[in-house]
Amino acid sequence: MTVSYSETISSSQGGVFIKILLLWRGSLYKLVYTDLFFYLVIYYAFNISYRSLMSPQTRQSFELVVKLCNEMDKSIPLSFILGFFVAGVIGRWWQMYLNIPWLNRISFLSYGILTGTRENFEQARRLRLSMMRYLNIGWILLMHSISEKVMHQFSDVKPPDETEEGNSAGEGLLTRIRYVMDRLAGTNQMAAQLHANSKSRSQKGIRYLLESINRCTRVRLHFPKLVTETEIQAFERAESEYISKYWRPYVPDYWLPLQWAVLLCKKAMVHGFCDPRSMVKLMEEIEDVRGMMQTLVIYNEVVIIAVYSYFLLQLFSQQFVNPKWTAEALGRLTNTSVLPISTGSEHHHGEVIDMYFPVFTVFQFLFLMGWLKVAMCVMNPFGDDDEDFHTLEMLDYNLEISSRCSEAPPSQFPEGLSEASMEWIRRSPGSEADSLFDYLASAESEFRQAGEPSQEERLHEILAKPALRQRLRAGCCLHCGSSGSGEASPDAAG
């Protein structure tokens, strides 16, 4: 989930340490360079004022402030506080990673249980497909509420007839103002853009989000359609009931599709696709997925005041001051003998080394502020930093594994290894009156109408992924090198 440098340090050749220090992505410099820049700007503002603008009396008062801050910053146990904070945050980060729901286990379990007889293999496939769709919908709705990457992925998918010209000038201006204010407040670019557009998105309701999921090429590579029209209408009814009852904005219920999946488990037992014990096993797996989803709750911790207070004191305590020079200037002004202020030990009488650049202060800033920034990055592991979870790659994996396990085409199996017919499982009395097969047939009809993404959409989605783009580029170069045609670009390969 973090930036991997294994290829850089895979050999024991010289210069590996220098290579790591010069890397930008995931580096310490990328985390702290803005804070360090503003810190040095304020530092030199005081420094230049002390050297050139202050009168001797003001410089002497400033030296007293430096002496006081130098004594105070030693009383803050910053290393202990920061170490305790980082340890707690890293432990929570790891616990949240362990609670991310992966759908591979329940995908294989549903394929092994929901089989049926030879007469209804197709119905079993549709049943597995619907169950996996519901689990993926729940996963996406949960991540949409906590992950900036997933929110950004499905917030940018616009219908073909929606253009930027449709927005009014006033709304566009307010959106831009909200974006600029969030950026000035320190919010990253992605979160600021999402917050700026949140008002217009919330007015469109749950249908806009669900249709955005259906339009997303990342989803359509594996499922022709993830949410059917009847399911969208069910969400709209839930949204209407929630708003009328609680008078609050509706947040999509990630557990609602899981409830549909549990109902499919019961219907599967009624129609003879599984026995009661297998139905309970499937329900337990769905409950495990729901339990892991429930633990992924983001909360903020305010433990940052100590670090910023420490460096606020450092702005004064680490300033260059020359008490001897101040005392001489003050003595000439008053025609008296003035003793310099001691800013260090008792035997220090104003002798200082003029450090035009605070080297050791910068190193201290890099170490302590970098430590804090790493903790702040992993405090919300569902953001868009280099150290955050790659939720879009997780989504791709869940969509792929659930789709392939649900479809289970015969081409994936060796010749002669065919599907087993579970003739010993019988239907429950009254199953003929149930409408499960009609529901599955209606969903299948919508899938056929939706169709598959075009080759251009597939290529665009592949090129949007850095790892696949590099793999494709390497394959093109290898092919072109072997054929003697020179180097080709990914676009040419498409």
Side-chain angles (χ1 to χ4, degrees):
M1 297 306 126
T2 57
V3 181
S4 176
Y5 296 146
S6 57
E7 295 181 359
T8 306
I9 61 176
S10 58
S11 63
S12 59
Q13 298 179 356
V16 173
F17 179 71
I18 302 299
K19 290 181 181 179
I20 295 178
L21 288 180
L22 295 179
L23 292 175
W24 175 253
R25 184 168 181 263
S27 65
L28 176 64
Y29 326 117
K30 186 177 180 180
L31 286 176
V32 303
Y33 78 95
T34 53
D35 298 84
L36 180 60
F37 173 76
F38 286 109
Y39 180 81
L40 291 177
V41 167
I42 300 174
Y43 176 88
Y44 278 110
F46 285 116
N47 191 277
I48 294 173
S49 299
Y50 173 79
R51 292 174 182 268
S52 305
L53 303 179
M54 293 183 183
S55 63
Q57 294 86 347
T58 307
R59 285 204 302 267
Q60 192 174 49
S61 301
F62 185 79
E63 290 165 1
L64 292 174
V65 173
V66 170
K67 181 179 180 180
L68 176 63
C69 293
N70 193 20
E71 296 172 354
M72 291 297 296
D73 65 0
K74 297 177 182 178
S75 63
I76 300 179
L78 185 62
S79 299
F80 173 77
I81 296 175
L82 192 56
F84 184 78
F85 169 66
V86 172
V89 171
I90 294 296
R92 174 178 167 268
W93 179 89
W94 177 246
Q95 190 64 34
M96 296 188 73
Y97 173 73
L98 295 179
N99 283 305
I100 294 177
W102 299 89
L103 303 185
N104 49 359
R105 177 181 173 88
I106 192 170
S107 298
F108 281 98
L109 188 64
S110 64
Y111 170 74
I113 291 177
L114 303 177
T115 301
T117 60
R118 298 185 187 278
E119 291 77 14
N120 55 16
F121 279 165
E122 176 62 21
Q123 302 296 339
R125 182 194 67 83
R126 296 178 181 180
L127 182 62
R128 294 193 301 266
L129 192 65
S130 292
M131 184 175 295
M132 292 302 104
R133 284 194 304 107
Y134 293 157
L135 291 171
N136 278 289
I137 294 171
W139 196 95
I140 291 175
L141 291 179
L142 171 72
M143 289 298 173
H144 185 271
S145 62
I146 63 176
S147 172
E148 293 181 5
K149 293 181 180 179
V150 175
M151 187 186 300
H152 189 268
Q153 174 71 34
F154 297 109
S155 297
D156 277 353
V157 183
K158 297 181 180 180
D161 56 347
E162 182 176 331
T163 59
E164 295 296 334
E165 290 77 12
N167 297 330
S168 63
E171 181 181 351
L173 179 60
L174 290 177
T175 299
R176 185 62 183 172
I177 292 175
R178 286 196 296 266
Y179 173 77
V180 172
M181 294 301 295
D182 285 342
R183 291 292 287 162
L184 291 176
T187 309
N188 59 59
Q189 183 176 359
M190 181 183 293
Q193 187 65 43
L194 292 173
H195 181 261
N197 296 327
S198 60
K199 183 177 180 181
S200 60
R201 288 201 316 271
S202 62
Q203 293 174 349
K204 297 175 182 177
I206 184 63
R207 173 176 286 273
Y208 182 80
L209 172 60
L210 298 177
E211 290 179 349
S212 298
I213 295 175
N214 283 336
R215 286 190 298 268
C216 181
T217 308
R218 188 182 294 269
V219 173
R220 296 182 63 227
L221 287 175
H222 309 286
F223 291 89
K225 199 174 186 179
L226 204 59
V227 196
T228 63
E229 180 61 29
T230 56
E231 293 157 1
I232 293 177
Q233 293 174 3
F235 268 108
E236 287 183 322
R237 290 193 296 269
E239 178 184 26
S240 177
E241 293 174 1
Y242 183 89
I243 294 176
S244 62
K245 184 175 182 179
Y246 297 104
W247 292 88
R248 292 200 303 264
Y250 176 70
V251 178
D253 298 317
Y254 69 88
W255 51 265
L256 188 57
L258 305 185
Q259 193 175 23
W260 301 345
V262 169
L263 181 58
L264 284 182
C265 291
K266 294 191 290 185
K267 287 180 174 290
M269 185 201 68
V270 170
H271 287 271
F273 291 103
C274 64
D275 59 357
R277 296 181 62 181
S278 300
M279 178 197 69
V280 173
K281 181 63 177 177
L282 275 176
M283 289 184 176
E284 290 176 350
E285 288 295 326
I286 296 175
E287 167 57 25
D288 289 342
V289 172
R290 188 209 61 81
M292 288 188 289
M293 288 182 178
Q294 189 174 4
T295 59
L296 298 180
V297 180
I298 303 300
Y299 60 92
N300 293 324
E301 303 178 36
V302 183
V303 124
I304 308 166
I305 299 177
V307 178
Y308 283 92
S309 300
Y310 177 81
F311 284 109
L312 181 62
L313 293 175
Q314 289 272 309
L315 283 173
F316 296 96
S317 65
Q318 298 299 317
Q319 286 288 340
F320 161 78
V321 290
N322 194 338
K324 188 174 182 180
W325 172 50
T326 303
E328 292 175 354
L330 195 59
R332 289 192 300 268
L333 185 65
T334 59
N335 294 323
T336 58
S337 177
V338 179
L339 293 177
I341 296 175
S342 177
T343 57
S345 61
E346 295 180 357
H347 303 286
H348 180 76
H349 298 291
E351 297 84 0
V352 295
I353 299 176
D354 192 350
M355 297 290 292
Y356 289 95
F357 184 78
V359 179
F360 298 104
T361 303
V362 170
F363 277 122
Q364 192 176 28
F365 186 93
L366 289 176
F367 298 147
L368 295 178
M369 187 61 71
W371 204 5
L372 175 66
K373 288 291 184 178
V374 170
M376 292 175 65
C377 287
V378 301
M379 187 189 299
N380 178 13
F382 295 100
D384 63 333
D385 297 312
D386 294 333
E387 298 80 10
D388 291 331
F389 297 149
H390 300 169
T391 50
L392 292 180
E393 283 75 6
M394 297 177 187
L395 173 61
D396 291 335
Y397 177 81
N398 283 335
L399 290 171
E400 179 182 354
I401 195 69
S402 58
S403 172
R404 296 180 66 182
C405 285
S406 301
E407 295 287 350
S411 59
Q412 292 184 0
F413 298 92
E415 186 177 354
L417 186 62
S418 59
E419 189 68 64
S421 180
M422 312 298 286
E423 303 288 347
W424 60 276
I425 302 179
R426 301 299 179 185
R427 294 184 178 183
S428 300
S431 60
E432 294 79 6
D434 190 75
S435 60
L436 174 63
F437 293 159
D438 296 335
Y439 178 78
L440 297 177
S442 175
E444 188 71 18
S445 176
E446 289 196 35
F447 299 154
R448 292 195 185 98
Q449 293 177 3
E452 296 184 354
S454 62
Q455 292 296 332
E456 291 77 9
E457 293 175 324
R458 291 177 181 272
L459 181 61
H460 182 271
E461 186 64 30
I462 290 175
L463 295 179
K465 301 175 183 178
L468 293 179
R469 186 171 60 248
Q470 294 176 2
R471 206 173 301 168
L472 179 61
R473 182 181 293 112
C476 291
C477 295
L478 181 62
H479 173 72
C480 295
S482 61
S483 61
S485 59
E487 187 175 355
S489 65
D491 296 332

